[in-house]
């Protein structure tokens, strides 16, 4: 079974700017809310991660059940975005580098935010990771109690 999430929050720093543009073009069946940045000038990734996760946290109807609000954060490595996003209560951000890691982040960890490293991934793989993340449902079951312990 696959879910369709139409509302995707997205943000990047300068390292992720080009890939963000390509993602918005490629996934034209989704509606993106873009939190910047808006060109390749050097910026600080936490500023953009904070904007996105605040909006996400404000809109989560239920931290475990909400499947309407998802985010994608892109920087050079994805690490800084993931570190920042995971500071927000009830937000689970996953740094993914493969289709399998994206499927597990959704299926087992019920991550709402995907973090990717634009400088470390081929565009084709980045698209495959995003597709996997946006269409893999949370498996629930034994994973719920583990998530509750985070
Ligand atoms: C920017 O040069 C770079 O540090 C940033 O995009 C990211 O990789 C940080 O985690």
């Amino acid at each position: 079974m696959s879910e369709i999430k139409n509302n995707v929050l997205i943000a990047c720093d300068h390292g992720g700017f080009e890939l963000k543009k390509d993602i918005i073009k490629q996934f034209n069946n989704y509606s993106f809310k873009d939190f910047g940045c808006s060109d390749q000038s050097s910026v600080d990734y936490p500023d953009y991660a904070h904007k996105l996760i605040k909006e996400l946290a404000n809109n989560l109807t239920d931290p475990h059940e909400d499947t309407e609000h998802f985010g994608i954060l892109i920087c050079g490595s994805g690490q800084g975005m993931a570190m920042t996003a995971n500071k927000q209560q009830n937000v689970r951000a996953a740094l993914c580098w493969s289709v399998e890691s994206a499927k597990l982040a959704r299926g087992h960890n019920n991550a709402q935010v995907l973090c990717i490293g634009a400088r470390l991934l081929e565009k084709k793989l980045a698209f495959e990771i995003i597709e996997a993340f946006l269409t893999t449902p949370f498996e629930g079951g034994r994973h719920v109690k583990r998530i509750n312990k985070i």
Side-chain angles (χ1 to χ4, degrees):
M1 194 186 88
S2 76
E3 299 170 45
I4 299 294
K5 293 141 197 142
N6 290 313
N7 301 309
V8 181
L9 313 181
I10 194 164
C12 65
D13 73 353
H14 52 288
F17 179 68
E18 281 302 319
L19 182 58
K20 182 179 74 175
K21 280 199 307 189
D22 292 338
I23 291 167
I24 292 171
K25 215 180 285 172
Q26 174 75 12
F27 290 87
N28 55 18
N29 50 330
Y30 291 86
S31 122
F32 287 94
K33 183 163 181 187
D34 189 351
F35 290 81
C37 60
S38 51
D39 59 38
Q40 281 183 319
S41 317
S42 183
V43 293
D44 300 331
Y45 58 82
D47 295 338
Y48 296 89
H50 281 306
K51 282 186 198 175
L52 185 147
I53 58 173
K54 274 197 191 111
E55 170 91 1
L56 182 69
N58 284 341
N59 283 291
L60 284 178
T61 48
D62 178 302
H64 301 316
E65 301 301 331
D66 187 311
T67 54
E68 292 304 313
H69 301 93
F70 285 79
I72 299 175
L73 289 169
I74 314 144
C75 63
S77 66
Q79 294 281 17
M81 288 296 199
M83 289 176 184
T84 309
N86 279 314
K87 295 289 180 192
Q88 176 72 45
Q89 185 81 18
N90 291 329
V91 166
R92 290 175 299 279
L95 175 60
C96 296
W97 60 94
S98 65
V99 168
E100 192 58 21
S101 65
K103 286 184 178 170
L104 287 168
R106 287 288 311 124
H108 288 195
N109 311 110
N110 203 10
Q112 313 103 332
V113 178
L114 169 66
C115 302
I116 49 176
R119 293 178 181 152
L120 305 179
L121 298 173
E122 296 294 338
K123 193 159 74 175
K124 181 174 174 289
L125 178 56
F127 287 170
E128 289 168 0
I129 289 170
I130 292 164
E131 181 69 28
F133 190 86
L134 293 176
T135 58
T136 302
F138 177 47
E139 291 173 25
R142 68 189 187 281
H143 302 295
V144 173
K145 83 169 160 43
R146 294 169 185 166
I147 287 171
N148 285 334
K149 289 184 177 184
I150 291 177

PDB file of all heavy atoms in Angstrom, residues 13-14 45 75-77 79-80 119, ligand 1:
ATOM      1  N   ASP A  13      20.003  24.960   1.826  1.00  0.00           N
ATOM      2  CA  ASP A  13      20.993  26.037   1.884  1.00  0.00           C
ATOM      3  C   ASP A  13      21.585  26.161   0.478  1.00  0.00           C
ATOM      4  O   ASP A  13      21.090  25.532  -0.475  1.00  0.00           O
ATOM      5  CB  ASP A  13      22.034  25.802   2.993  1.00  0.00           C
ATOM      6  CG  ASP A  13      23.032  24.697   2.658  1.00  0.00           C
ATOM      7  OD1 ASP A  13      22.848  24.009   1.624  1.00  0.00           O
ATOM      8  OD2 ASP A  13      23.999  24.516   3.421  1.00  0.00           O
ATOM      9  N   HIS A  14      22.653  26.944   0.346  1.00  0.00           N
ATOM     10  CA  HIS A  14      23.244  27.150  -0.986  1.00  0.00           C
ATOM     11  C   HIS A  14      23.713  25.833  -1.602  1.00  0.00           C
ATOM     12  O   HIS A  14      23.642  25.649  -2.812  1.00  0.00           O
ATOM     13  CB  HIS A  14      24.400  28.149  -0.895  1.00  0.00           C
ATOM     14  CG  HIS A  14      25.409  27.803   0.162  1.00  0.00           C
ATOM     15  ND1 HIS A  14      25.124  27.936   1.513  1.00  0.00           N
ATOM     16  CD2 HIS A  14      26.661  27.309   0.090  1.00  0.00           C
ATOM     17  CE1 HIS A  14      26.190  27.555   2.215  1.00  0.00           C
ATOM     18  NE2 HIS A  14      27.126  27.159   1.371  1.00  0.00           N
ATOM     19  N   TYR A  45      22.649  26.868   7.060  1.00  0.00           N
ATOM     20  CA  TYR A  45      21.570  25.874   6.959  1.00  0.00           C
ATOM     21  C   TYR A  45      20.600  25.860   8.153  1.00  0.00           C
ATOM     22  O   TYR A  45      19.401  25.632   7.946  1.00  0.00           O
ATOM     23  CB  TYR A  45      22.142  24.453   6.708  1.00  0.00           C
ATOM     24  CG  TYR A  45      23.111  23.975   7.753  1.00  0.00           C
ATOM     25  CD1 TYR A  45      22.665  23.422   8.942  1.00  0.00           C
ATOM     26  CD2 TYR A  45      24.477  24.108   7.567  1.00  0.00           C
ATOM     27  CE1 TYR A  45      23.560  23.009   9.920  1.00  0.00           C
ATOM     28  CE2 TYR A  45      25.377  23.690   8.532  1.00  0.00           C
ATOM     29  CZ  TYR A  45      24.912  23.144   9.707  1.00  0.00           C
ATOM     30  OH  TYR A  45      25.797  22.749  10.667  1.00  0.00           O
ATOM     31  N   CYS A  75      21.021  20.077   2.104  1.00  0.00           N
ATOM     32  CA  CYS A  75      22.232  20.893   2.187  1.00  0.00           C
ATOM     33  C   CYS A  75      23.349  20.109   1.495  1.00  0.00           C
ATOM     34  O   CYS A  75      23.052  19.149   0.773  1.00  0.00           O
ATOM     35  CB  CYS A  75      22.565  21.297   3.629  1.00  0.00           C
ATOM     36  SG  CYS A  75      22.939  19.952   4.757  1.00  0.00           S
ATOM     37  N   GLY A  76      24.587  20.504   1.704  1.00  0.00           N
ATOM     38  CA  GLY A  76      25.664  19.818   0.998  1.00  0.00           C
ATOM     39  C   GLY A  76      25.728  18.341   1.355  1.00  0.00           C
ATOM     40  O   GLY A  76      25.756  17.465   0.499  1.00  0.00           O
ATOM     41  N   SER A  77      25.734  18.052   2.653  1.00  0.00           N
ATOM     42  CA  SER A  77      25.831  16.668   3.124  1.00  0.00           C
ATOM     43  C   SER A  77      24.517  16.131   3.669  1.00  0.00           C
ATOM     44  O   SER A  77      24.385  14.925   3.852  1.00  0.00           O
ATOM     45  CB  SER A  77      26.886  16.593   4.234  1.00  0.00           C
ATOM     46  OG  SER A  77      26.426  17.342   5.354  1.00  0.00           O
ATOM     47  N   GLN A  79      23.744  16.526   6.695  1.00  0.00           N
ATOM     48  CA  GLN A  79      23.976  16.340   8.134  1.00  0.00           C
ATOM     49  C   GLN A  79      23.500  17.514   8.975  1.00  0.00           C
ATOM     50  O   GLN A  79      22.827  17.328   9.999  1.00  0.00           O
ATOM     51  CB  GLN A  79      25.479  16.152   8.424  1.00  0.00           C
ATOM     52  CG  GLN A  79      26.092  14.900   7.883  1.00  0.00           C
ATOM     53  CD  GLN A  79      25.787  13.664   8.722  1.00  0.00           C
ATOM     54  OE1 GLN A  79      24.861  13.665   9.537  1.00  0.00           O
ATOM     55  NE2 GLN A  79      26.538  12.612   8.500  1.00  0.00           N
ATOM     56  N   GLY A  80      23.897  18.712   8.558  1.00  0.00           N
ATOM     57  CA  GLY A  80      23.537  19.886   9.358  1.00  0.00           C
ATOM     58  C   GLY A  80      22.037  20.071   9.436  1.00  0.00           C
ATOM     59  O   GLY A  80      21.485  20.436  10.490  1.00  0.00           O
ATOM     60  N   ARG A 119      25.555  17.270  -2.378  1.00  0.00           N
ATOM     61  CA  ARG A 119      26.918  17.107  -2.891  1.00  0.00           C
ATOM     62  C   ARG A 119      27.378  15.656  -2.867  1.00  0.00           C
ATOM     63  O   ARG A 119      28.450  15.337  -3.359  1.00  0.00           O
ATOM     64  CB  ARG A 119      27.888  17.970  -2.076  1.00  0.00           C
ATOM     65  CG  ARG A 119      27.644  19.453  -2.273  1.00  0.00           C
ATOM     66  CD  ARG A 119      28.592  20.280  -1.421  1.00  0.00           C
ATOM     67  NE  ARG A 119      28.316  21.705  -1.611  1.00  0.00           N
ATOM     68  CZ  ARG A 119      28.543  22.632  -0.689  1.00  0.00           C
ATOM     69  NH1 ARG A 119      29.043  22.302   0.491  1.00  0.00           N
ATOM     70  NH2 ARG A 119      28.267  23.895  -0.942  1.00  0.00           N
TER      71      ARG A 119
HETATM   72  C1  LIG B   1      27.876  24.295   3.365  1.00  0.00           C
HETATM   73  O1  LIG B   1      29.139  24.510   2.847  1.00  0.00           O
HETATM   74  C2  LIG B   1      27.792  22.936   4.046  1.00  0.00           C
HETATM   75  O2  LIG B   1      28.513  22.929   5.225  1.00  0.00           O
HETATM   76  C3  LIG B   1      26.343  22.558   4.274  1.00  0.00           C
HETATM   77  O3  LIG B   1      25.674  22.558   3.072  1.00  0.00           O
HETATM   78  C4  LIG B   1      26.075  21.210   4.895  1.00  0.00           C
HETATM   79  O4  LIG B   1      26.782  20.205   4.242  1.00  0.00           O
HETATM   80  C5  LIG B   1      26.192  21.124   6.354  1.00  0.00           C
HETATM   81  O5  LIG B   1      25.882  20.102   6.972  1.00  0.00           O
END
